[in-house]
Amino acid sequence: MRYQKIRKEIAGIDPAVFMPALLLTLLLALVFSLWPEQSGSLLHQIHAFTTNELGWFFLLATIGAISFCLYLAMSRYGKVVLGDRDTRPEFSTLTWLGMIFTSGTGGSLLYLSAAEWIWIMQSPPFGAEPGSAEAARWASAFGMFHWGPSAWAWYIACAIPIGYAMYVRKQRNLKLSELTRPVLGRWADGLVGHAINFLYMFGIIGGVMTSIALGTPLISSTFAYAFGMQAGNPVLDVFVIFLWTAIPMMALILGLQKGVARLSNFNVRLDIALLVGVLACGPLSFTLNQSVDGLGLMLQNFVYMSFATDVIRNTGFPQAWTIFYFSWWVVYALPYGLFIAKISRGRTIRGIVFAGLVAGSLGCMVFYMVFPAFGIHLQTSGQLDLIAVMNEAGRGEVVKAMLEQLPAAGLFIVVFGLVALLSYVSGQCAVGYSLASATQKTLLPEQEASRYNASFWLVLVGLVSTALYFLNPESLTPLQTISILTGFPLCFVIAIVGRSFMLMLNRDLFNETAVRDIDGKKYLTPTTTGIDAPVNTGAVSPELD
């Protein structure tokens, strides 16, 4: 019986999407492992061209994503519900927000919030003097900016069209090419459609592999500290990668409700406990004052930071940071958007926009308030030269040195490592689910992605990451670079998905029978889908009084 079930799930995999992504990923991993310097040099030149010559494009594209989300939220379509008229949300609001936050951040949020301010403080933007008070203020503000609405707009701009196609249009699969059909037509079934599916698959696989390989030593170092082991222990590194693979597998096998949701809830509770602990045991007054100052600086200069290329001063800061981040968000936008769409059944478009641009952004900003403020206080007060620690030992030691200044330092370091691991694992759940969903021939709205398919991708990513990490760590750089380079064509793919979504909205017929009344609040759902609205029939506008 189990064997037949496995065969059935394997038969449901679409080889036209599955095999090209698998084979080319393995081929490039082999090439980068054998010739890391040559491939890295070539890709670095391409990446430099993308960030320098095309930096303006990523800045404008990100503004476009933000504008698209705000338009959907404030327009008549903001009340459209992803689902049927009797559909209620599958998850409670707090659990739903927690799953969105943990799926879209990962452990990088913790480590970068603790260490990124040092890099920016040494090479600050807009002509500020390195190491100065002004540089420290910008270091705090830019972290909030990079992980704020600009990042979440990309996720939400993908989540809403995917959710609409899934729960309103009842699309029978989640292949990316299918989402572009209203614009591409028959081209969605040909070479263009296959290229779109491949870009989606390869971009996220390459990004996740590098995240695992680069994040593993940081997590294992905290465990080594806790258990009195030597840092850089290969056995401990393998164990961390095993946990990184096994935990999301178990969560996905248990399902979204019993596995992923519970993991997310536990992750959020640990996040809150860690932040409260650092606040309470650290320089509370300085942290709160600096947080408000950094937030004000970011809000005051949000438009300028969103458009800055600094081409005359030629500092290279926007290219090294802002444009790099924006291209990275584009790569993750579609898979994380797919996962957010899956868990947002029964939610309104306006609610999803609010969840990402407001709740998700604020969650990230809190980390970029607490940890940079704590580090800046240690640095500027002379208690600890974290800049020297960074330059001599790297960001892993920065985190450990920072947390050692707190009482019960060992506990804080262990909790930090555990939260980082769980955050990466929560992100892996979203990635595994999205990869499996995009490679299945059929996936109905009420179905979950194949557990065996998701497990395969998680195991593949874990094994290849381990091999690259131990055989030739230098091969990670070109793999990361090429995954980021997919951000440029993916911008056009996301634009086509967004345009297709608007065409679907404009074709769907709305009237007053589509109004849902839940607890005195009115929501909209399309009464029919895929049908052109009749001309001059007096159909009621979806706007509500």
Side-chain angles (χ1 to χ4, degrees):
M1 187 72 176
R2 182 180 295 272
Y3 177 72
Q4 293 178 344
K5 185 177 181 180
I6 294 174
R7 288 191 61 183
K8 182 178 179 181
E9 293 200 13
I10 292 176
I13 296 174
D14 188 346
V17 181
F18 185 93
M19 294 306 298
L22 171 63
L23 295 177
L24 190 55
T25 298
L26 294 176
L27 176 62
L28 288 177
L30 177 63
V31 171
F32 296 155
S33 181
L34 295 176
W35 299 285
E37 294 183 3
Q38 297 90 329
S39 56
S41 177
L42 175 62
L43 291 173
H44 177 73
Q45 295 177 27
I46 300 174
H47 179 59
F49 173 83
T50 302
T51 55
N52 287 282
E53 305 301 325
L54 299 177
W56 58 272
F57 173 82
F58 283 102
L59 296 178
L60 293 179
T62 300
I63 291 297
I66 296 174
S67 302
F68 178 65
C69 292
L70 293 178
Y71 167 75
L72 291 177
M74 294 186 294
S75 70
R76 60 182 183 173
Y77 300 121
K79 293 185 178 181
V80 171
V81 178
L82 301 188
D84 299 324
R85 273 172 281 170
D86 58 348
T87 301
R88 290 183 177 271
E90 185 177 0
F91 303 93
S92 69
T93 299
L94 289 179
T95 297
W96 175 62
L97 291 174
M99 293 175 74
I100 290 176
F101 175 74
T102 55
S103 69
T105 55
S108 298
L109 175 63
L110 273 78
Y111 278 105
L112 290 175
S113 64
E116 183 180 295
W117 64 270
I118 299 177
W119 291 314
I120 296 179
M121 197 169 171
Q122 292 183 94
S123 301
F126 311 139
E129 183 182 349
S132 65
E134 191 67 16
R137 294 184 68 221
W138 281 116
S140 177
F142 259 102
M144 300 184 209
F145 170 70
H146 290 146
W147 289 77
S150 301
W152 287 94
W154 282 110
Y155 296 168
I156 301 305
C158 295
I160 292 173
I162 295 173
Y164 189 86
M166 186 189 315
Y167 292 127
V168 179
R169 282 295 184 108
K170 310 298 183 184
Q171 185 171 295
R172 296 180 60 83
N173 65 64
L174 290 178
K175 290 187 293 185
L176 191 57
S177 59
E178 195 64 29
L179 297 172
T180 64
R181 187 173 297 278
V183 170
L184 297 182
R186 61 184 179 85
W187 293 97
D189 298 317
L191 184 60
V192 175
H194 291 309
I196 288 174
N197 291 328
F198 171 75
L199 280 173
Y200 166 82
M201 295 290 293
F202 178 74
I204 188 60
I205 292 171
V208 171
M209 284 181 180
T210 53
S211 295
I212 290 179
L214 296 175
T216 293
L218 301 175
I219 298 174
S220 63
S221 66
T222 61
F223 291 161
Y225 176 90
F227 298 111
M229 301 173 65
Q230 183 178 359
N233 189 317
V235 176
L236 190 57
D237 289 341
V238 172
F239 179 67
V240 169
I241 294 177
F242 169 77
L243 293 177
W244 205 323
T245 303
I247 295 176
M249 278 179 56
M250 292 302 300
L252 290 174
I253 288 174
L254 291 173
L256 294 178
Q257 280 279 6
K258 295 181 179 179
V260 179
R262 291 179 179 177
L263 179 65
S264 173
N265 287 335
F266 183 57
N267 189 358
V268 170
R269 292 189 181 99
L270 279 182
D271 284 341
I272 295 173
L274 177 62
L275 291 169
V276 171
V278 174
L279 266 175
C281 298
L284 178 61
S285 177
F286 180 89
T287 299
L288 295 177
N289 279 291
Q290 174 56 32
S291 298
V292 172
D293 183 86
L295 178 61
L297 184 64
M298 187 271 291
L299 293 176
Q300 180 185 6
N301 294 276
F302 184 86
V303 174
Y304 177 44
M305 296 160 78
S306 298
F307 286 94
T309 60
D310 215 17
V311 67
I312 295 178
R313 279 183 295 227
N314 197 28
T315 62
F317 182 89
Q319 291 73 24
W321 288 101
T322 303
I323 296 168
F324 171 84
Y325 262 123
F326 287 1
S327 61
W328 191 245
W329 300 139
V330 173
V331 172
Y332 278 95
L334 285 162
Y336 286 165
L338 189 154
F339 183 79
I340 293 172
K342 180 62 181 179
I343 63 175
S344 297
R345 186 176 189 176
R347 302 286 175 177
T348 64
I349 288 178
R350 184 171 297 139
I352 297 172
V353 172
F354 176 85
L357 268 63
V358 179
S361 297
L362 287 177
C364 294
M365 288 179 184
V366 170
F367 279 90
Y368 270 93
M369 291 176 180
V370 174
F371 284 106
F374 180 36
I376 290 172
H377 179 267
L378 294 175
Q379 182 71 37
T380 56
S381 65
Q383 296 182 45
L384 181 64
D385 189 355
L386 288 170
I387 292 179
V389 175
M390 170 69 81
N391 295 334
E392 294 172 4
R395 61 178 178 171
E397 290 299 316
V398 165
V399 173
K400 188 169 70 173
M402 183 187 302
L403 296 178
E404 283 177 337
Q405 307 306 307
L406 297 171
L411 177 61
F412 273 103
I413 292 174
V414 171
V415 172
F416 187 95
L418 180 60
V419 172
L421 176 63
L422 288 178
S423 299
Y424 276 123
V425 163
S426 297
Q428 282 294 90
C429 289
V431 169
Y433 191 93
S434 299
L435 289 172
S437 299
T439 53
Q440 290 186 210
K441 295 177 180 177
T442 303
L443 186 64
L444 301 178
E446 63 274 9
Q447 291 180 320
E448 291 193 7
S450 167
R451 295 172 295 176
Y452 300 104
N453 192 359
S455 298
F456 170 83
W457 288 111
L458 291 172
V459 171
L460 172 70
V461 167
L463 290 176
V464 176
S465 300
T466 304
L468 293 176
Y469 176 63
F470 285 107
L471 293 177
N472 195 342
E474 293 182 0
S475 61
L476 296 172
T477 300
L479 183 60
Q480 182 185 41
T481 302
I482 198 171
S483 65
I484 296 173
L485 290 176
T486 61
F488 179 67
L490 282 174
C491 284
F492 295 96
V493 174
I494 294 173
I496 295 174
V497 171
R499 176 58 181 163
S500 297
F501 166 63
M502 295 307 299
L503 289 175
M504 287 188 286
L505 273 178
N506 292 327
R507 289 183 61 199
D508 290 342
L509 178 64
F510 291 85
N511 61 37
E512 286 188 342
T513 64
V515 175
R516 291 171 51 198
D517 195 325
I518 300 178
D519 299 329
K521 296 182 179 180
K522 293 184 177 181
Y523 302 88
L524 285 170
T525 53
T527 55
T528 57
T529 57
I531 302 174
D532 291 331
V535 180
N536 296 326
T537 60
V540 178
S541 167
E543 295 180 353
L544 295 179
D545 294 332

